[in-house]
Amino acid sequence: MYSETDLEGAVAAGVMPLATADAFRQHVAAARATPVVDEESFRLLTGFNDIFVAIAIALLLGALAQLGDWVNHALAGAAVAGAAWGLAEYFTRVRRMALPSIILLVAFVGGVAATMIGALVELDPHWSDTTNAMVGSGIALITAGAAWLHWRRFMVPVTVAVGAAAVVATAIGIVFAITHADPQRFLSPMILAGGIGVFALAMAWDTSDRERRTRRSDVAFWLHLAAAPMIAHPVFHMLGVFGGEIGATQAVIVLALYVAFAFVALAIDRRALLVSSLAYVVYALSMLLRQAGAIELSLAFTALVIGSALLTLSAFWQPIRRRVVGTLGGLADRLPPVQQAALAA
């Protein structure tokens, strides 16, 4: 399996002319009856060996964490972070293995954060809530710095999303420390604001590669994947979904929001928002059917309706998206093309 990044690297190395790469893209698009931009491709596996190596890495890092924790809580995180960086020098820089690279990135960034948290556990300080919030934001900021260093060295696409999430956590910690706000009231709005910021960053990466032929598209994919739950979950949490039995009005609002998310997903040609909010719309529709009297089969009917709707949307994604983008006027010029010009010709 070859990704767009591989094609880009082959062209840059002179192995393949640009015209040949474009012809290959058009051939794949024609064979799949869909433009490349609509595939929303990203590389997770280069082969079964990725899974084999990922299991071995998980076993090794798990053992190091347990052995380090036996000596000192902070040492567990430090051992994982150090080993993850060292392993990435081979499996990421040399072998360019997708799944192991993602695991090693998460292990390194998580190990850096766990080192600081472990040190605090050892010290067991008794600080005020304000100090705890500032310390937490400091940990998140250093974690974001670790993600930046990892990006500069290895350029794994998911790294930018991890760093962005850490920056959001930093900002939230600082706001709580300064304002002494009640987390139960203001945490969801803050996460929502952070999610909108990450979404804007994702769109900046997306618009710089509208035809999704470079690494920038992979970075944008992971940023959208990080932004989607930060947008969807706070919105539905503030509506009281999962907080108990919801009424018909709330259920209709949830369904209307899902339609709005679908509009955005079609416009930007990304499906992350639809996936992140799926559980909420399933629950809301199920509640509507239960209130209508279909108690025993409410979940089955809900799955039937939602599953059919999503399959229909997937099958007719291109014509529906063409209509959605057509309503956006000049903004459409900054979005991924509805179809590639060469394919249209």
Side-chain angles (χ1 to χ4, degrees):
M1 175 179 167
Y2 303 100
S3 67
E4 285 292 324
T5 303
D6 294 325
L7 284 177
E8 178 191 2
V11 172
V15 175
M16 178 187 299
L18 179 60
T20 303
D22 288 338
F24 177 76
R25 291 186 180 102
Q26 294 174 29
H27 168 72
V28 172
R32 297 178 178 175
T34 180
V36 173
V37 292
D38 286 345
E39 289 290 342
E40 203 171 353
S41 301
F42 73 102
R43 188 170 68 171
L44 185 61
L45 294 173
T46 54
F48 188 76
N49 191 39
D50 279 37
I51 300 176
F52 180 79
V53 173
I55 292 172
I57 288 173
L59 290 173
L60 175 61
L61 295 181
L64 288 175
Q66 187 172 3
L67 291 172
D69 188 63
W70 182 69
V71 178
N72 183 279
H73 291 305
L75 184 59
V80 169
W85 185 283
L87 291 170
E89 291 288 347
Y90 177 70
F91 290 107
T92 301
R93 279 182 62 85
V94 178
R95 295 290 302 277
R96 304 181 67 84
M97 302 179 76
L99 181 60
S101 296
I102 295 173
I103 293 174
L104 290 172
L105 160 70
V106 174
F108 172 72
V109 175
V112 171
T115 300
M116 294 177 283
I117 295 172
L120 292 177
V121 170
E122 292 288 340
L123 293 173
D124 191 23
H126 298 284
W127 291 327
S128 64
D129 291 341
T130 300
T131 303
N132 285 329
M134 287 301 297
V135 170
S137 65
I139 291 174
L141 182 61
I142 294 173
T143 302
W148 181 81
L149 288 174
H150 199 280
W151 167 255
R152 297 292 296 175
R153 179 64 175 172
F154 303 108
M155 309 222 25
V156 180
V158 68
T159 311
V160 180
V162 173
V167 170
V168 171
T170 302
I172 291 175
I174 292 174
V175 170
F176 275 127
I178 294 175
T179 63
H180 309 287
D182 181 7
Q184 292 185 346
R185 291 183 57 192
F186 295 102
L187 181 58
S188 289
M190 289 181 185
I191 294 176
L192 176 60
I196 293 173
V198 176
F199 178 83
L201 180 61
M203 291 305 301
W205 282 85
D206 246 346
T207 54
S208 66
D209 180 21
R210 293 177 61 239
E211 294 189 353
R212 297 180 178 172
R213 295 185 175 183
T214 68
R215 189 193 306 268
R216 289 179 170 271
S217 175
D218 295 337
V219 173
F221 168 83
W222 290 107
L223 283 168
H224 279 294
L225 208 62
M230 296 171 66
I231 294 173
H233 298 334
V235 167
F236 292 117
H237 176 75
M238 288 186 287
L239 285 173
V241 182
F242 293 156
E245 293 290 327
I246 64 173
T249 302
Q250 287 176 295
V252 171
I253 292 174
V254 170
L255 294 175
L257 279 172
Y258 196 70
V259 172
F261 286 161
F263 184 90
V264 174
L266 285 162
I268 66 176
D269 208 7
R270 296 288 186 184
R271 297 160 178 81
L273 267 175
L274 292 176
V275 175
S276 292
S277 52
L278 184 58
Y280 297 100
V281 73
V282 168
Y283 180 75
L285 185 56
S286 177
M287 289 297 101
L288 274 179
L289 292 175
R290 287 175 65 89
Q291 293 173 17
I295 298 177
E296 294 183 358
L297 297 176
S298 61
L299 188 57
F301 282 129
T302 299
L304 178 64
V305 172
I306 298 299
S308 300
L310 292 180
L311 285 174
T312 302
L313 180 62
S314 178
F316 297 99
W317 185 269
Q318 294 174 55
I320 296 174
R321 181 168 186 265
R322 192 176 297 114
R323 290 179 177 274
V324 168
V325 173
T327 66
L328 299 177
L331 185 61
D333 295 333
R334 304 184 61 184
L335 297 172
V338 175
Q339 62 181 16
Q340 294 183 8
L343 189 62

